[in-house]
Amino acid sequence: MTTLYISHPECLDHQTLLGHPERADRLLVVERALETEEFSNLQREAAPRGDESLALRIHPEEYVSNLFQALPHEGTVEIANDTVLSPGSWKAAMRALGACRLAVDEVVARKVDNAFCAIRPPGHHAERDKPMGFCLFNNAAIAARYAQQVHGLGRVAIFDWDVHHGNGTQDIFWADDSVLYVSTHEMPLFPGTGAPRETGEHDTIVNVPLQAGDGSAIFREALEVCVLPRIETFAPDLIIISAGFDAHWRDPLANINLTEADFSHATRAVLDIANRVSGGRVVSILEGGYDLVGLSRSVGAHVSTLMHG
Ligand SMILES: [Zn+2]
């Protein structure tokens, strides 16, 4: 299989405060993890610069222009709890959107089998008109909408295995029966949403909370019972993974005990479904993951599985 890896050095230029878990080092260790011989067949592209029109597919014009106008000339400015803008944030966010666009373009055109976007800032907490939880623009939601509006895909499924609930993606697609949003996440935990009773207006939101201390066995059972059947039944034309790796046992922000093998397992399961019902189309987009060792091992396992099945 051909897997496309997309990133850009400008994604390092979104700066957060010293000690903040969502930091540029995350992308540096991801890059390093994929330098080994095992990944020599990985196809690599620099993310093109995205533009505002991508953000506007999801976010209101006022939201986008307010963020732009809030950019500081130096230092950082806090725009939501734990969520800041630095002078390089706009460039980083635009490269992130450009990466998502390229990934969808290449996967839908079948130039590659699947793609992984190593980008920051992450996106799944960003609601339609609210930055939140380190996120500015909802990258995965924008990728889904772009695939529908530009490539004419009908249904898109987003599987969000970040350890936090993707309140933003849920908010955006709450009343949209063309996008299935399925999330596994620790609960209770930030942001507090993601109860099973939150199912959206058309029953296309699927929340599968895990409890602190849960590990491989419970996660895999949740996939088998609650996650995978829903994605397969939905028969999406594209599967997007909101790929956060903070459910790794080493992660400091949560208490789920997954290993890199669990991320391989989940990746393989998604590929299997995609091969059966989605023409094989999978686009994976980095969300969280804050322990540098856990993150690099998990991304290695994830990308290796994308490449080799
Ligand atoms: Zn997270």
Side-chain angles (χ1 to χ4, degrees):
M1 289 204 289
T2 313
T3 296
L4 176 61
Y5 170 77
I6 311 170
S7 191
H8 197 281
E10 282 183 359
C11 287
L12 302 172
D13 294 342
H14 168 62
Q15 279 161 1
T16 51
L17 298 172
L18 194 65
H20 195 288
E22 203 294 286
R23 59 212 192 272
D25 284 353
R26 298 176 59 238
L27 286 193
L28 295 175
V29 302
V30 164
E31 195 82 34
R32 212 170 302 138
L34 302 178
E35 275 171 0
T36 61
E37 179 64 28
E38 187 188 352
F39 298 100
S40 56
N41 289 331
L42 188 59
Q43 196 171 316
R44 295 159 205 261
E45 292 226 33
R49 202 191 308 263
D51 56 45
E52 277 185 32
S53 71
L54 284 163
L56 291 171
R57 290 185 187 278
I58 292 293
H59 302 284
E61 193 157 5
E62 193 184 0
Y63 175 82
V64 177
S65 64
N66 282 349
L67 270 191
F68 184 74
Q69 278 159 21
L71 284 173
H73 294 293
E74 56 182 4
T76 57
V77 55
E78 187 167 48
I79 51 166
N81 260 349
D82 291 329
T83 309
V84 299
L85 292 175
S86 72
S89 295
W90 193 260
K91 280 187 185 171
M94 288 299 137
R95 292 290 178 184
L97 295 184
C100 293
R101 181 182 65 197
L102 179 63
V104 170
D105 286 343
E106 299 283 290
V107 166
V108 172
R110 299 183 185 278
K111 291 185 185 159
V112 296
D113 291 301
N114 51 55
F116 176 66
C117 302
I119 54 173
R120 56 187 291 279
H124 74 151
H125 294 304
E127 298 186 353
R128 205 174 283 275
D129 56 5
K130 195 163 108 186
M132 192 169 152
F134 320 161
C135 302
L136 306 179
F137 298 127
N138 196 312
N139 305 310
I142 289 165
R145 198 54 101 213
Y146 174 80
Q148 292 180 314
Q149 293 177 340
V150 173
H151 291 286
L153 299 193
R155 288 181 306 280
V156 178
I158 300 174
F159 176 18
D160 183 341
W161 69 48
D162 188 282
V163 82
H164 302 96
H165 180 243
N167 60 289
T169 316
Q170 170 170 301
D171 164 71
I172 289 162
F173 295 120
W174 183 259
D176 186 334
D177 64 0
S178 71
V179 177
L180 178 76
Y181 176 70
V182 187
S183 174
T184 53
H185 48 271
E186 179 177 334
M187 203 172 181
L189 190 68
F190 178 87
T193 48
R197 68 173 179 278
E198 298 163 25
T199 56
E201 281 184 22
H202 305 284
D203 200 27
T204 46
I205 305 280
V206 182
N207 285 307
V208 185
L210 306 169
Q211 289 184 333
D214 285 353
S216 302
I218 290 173
F219 175 69
R220 292 183 186 211
E221 190 188 342
L223 291 187
E224 245 17 86
V225 176
C226 306
V227 173
L228 303 173
R230 289 299 300 267
I231 299 175
E232 183 142 12
T233 304
F234 191 69
D237 300 305
L238 167 70
I239 303 177
I240 293 174
I241 303 172
S242 258
F245 297 97
D246 39 12
H248 191 278
W249 64 271
R250 293 182 59 106
D251 200 276
L253 265 55
N255 309 286
I256 299 296
N257 296 315
L258 300 192
T259 66
E260 41 275 27
D262 296 315
F263 293 115
S264 281
H265 175 86
T267 306
R268 198 167 296 119
V270 169
L271 290 177
D272 286 347
I273 292 181
N275 285 333
R276 285 197 293 272
V277 302
S278 315
R281 292 185 282 264
V282 175
V283 168
S284 176
I285 299 170
L286 183 65
E287 299 282 0
Y290 304 102
D291 177 80
L292 297 183
V293 173
L295 175 65
S296 68
R297 288 182 191 161
S298 300
V299 168
H302 175 54
V303 174
S304 177
T305 307
L306 287 175
M307 292 170 72
H308 306 297

